[in-house]
Amino acid sequence: MKRYWQSGFGMVEILVTVAILSIVLAGLYNLFNSQVRSFEAQRDVLVTQRDIRTSLSLIERDVRMAGFGVPRGSNPVAALQDGTVDDATDPDTISINFSPGPFTYLISSAVTSPGVDNIIQVDSIAGFQVGNTINIINNSDNNLIGTYVITAIDTGNVTISLDADPSGAGIDVGDFVVRDFKTITYSTAIDAGTGRTELLRGDGVIQSTI
C-alpha cells in the first residue's frame, strides 16, 4: 500500500510570510499616509494662495478707486492707524474714501424752479435714484460746491430735482455730479477661536473677513 504525503507550509514559513507581509503593508500604509498629508498640505497652500489673491484683488481695486469723486479737502485716505498711541500692537487700520458712482455733468448753469423743485439739467441720470446723496463738484478746481439729496428724477428731460437750491453756490456748465463717497476700512483683528490674525473689510454696512 502506497502512502501519499501532502506537502504544506510549516509554522516557521507561515510566521516568516506574515512578518514579510506586515512589513510590506506597513510600508505601503506609511507611503499612503505620507501622500495624504502631502496632498492636504498642498491643498492648504492652494487655498491660502487663493485667499491672498482675492484679498489683494479687493485691496487693489479699492486703492485704485481712492479719491474718485472726492472733492479737494477730503483726503482719499481718511485714516491710517499703525497701532494706537497707547499700544502699538493694537490692530492696524486704513480707511479709503471714494465715490461708488455714478457720475454725470451739468449741461446748464440755470436751475429750474429754484427754491421749490431745484431742477438741474445733467447729461445722464443712469444709476441715480431718488434719495441718493450727491456732491456737486467744481470741475475746474475740484472744490465741493455742495451736498444735496435727490428728491425726483425726470428720465424724459434728463433732470434731477434736489432738496436745496445749488445756484447760489455758483454751479456752472461742466461741473460734475457724483453720488456721495463712502469709506472702506481695512483692519486686522485676532480671531479668538483660532488665534490667527485676520484681515477685515468694512464698507459702513457690512464687515467681512477676507
Side-chain angles (χ1 to χ4, degrees), residues 60-186:
E60 180 185 14
R61 184 192 66 183
D62 290 338
V63 169
R64 286 180 180 274
M65 288 292 293
F68 175 76
V70 176
R72 179 176 294 174
S74 297
N75 199 332
V77 179
L80 178 62
Q81 175 180 296
D82 182 12
T84 62
V85 175
D86 298 329
D87 188 353
T89 63
D90 278 352
D92 300 331
T93 63
I94 181 171
S95 298
I96 301 168
N97 287 331
F98 65 87
S99 174
F103 194 89
T104 189
Y105 290 94
L106 291 174
I107 59 176
S108 172
S109 59
V111 174
T112 305
S113 187
V116 182
D117 295 322
N118 306 311
I119 300 171
I120 58 174
Q121 188 81 40
V122 293
D123 67 342
S124 172
I125 48 86
F128 290 98
Q129 297 179 355
V130 173
N132 283 164
T133 299
I134 61 168
N135 291 324
I136 299 181
I137 300 174
N138 188 298
N139 195 29
S140 61
D141 59 16
N142 203 46
N143 282 321
L144 178 66
I145 292 174
T147 299
Y148 308 90
V149 177
I150 297 176
T151 57
I153 295 176
D154 187 335
T155 56
N157 294 313
V158 194
T159 59
I160 296 175
S161 299
L162 306 177
D163 65 333
D165 179 10
S167 57
I171 63 172
D172 201 356
V173 174
D175 291 341
F176 60 90
V177 178
V178 62
R179 200 160 60 193
D180 198 22
F181 57 83
K182 67 178 182 179
T183 300
I184 302 294
T185 299
Y186 285 94

Side-chain angles (χ1 to χ4, degrees), residues 6-22:
Q6 292 183 342
S7 61
F9 294 106
M11 182 61 69
V12 174
E13 294 173 315
I14 293 175
L15 291 176
V16 170
T17 302
V18 170
I20 293 173
L21 284 175
S22 299

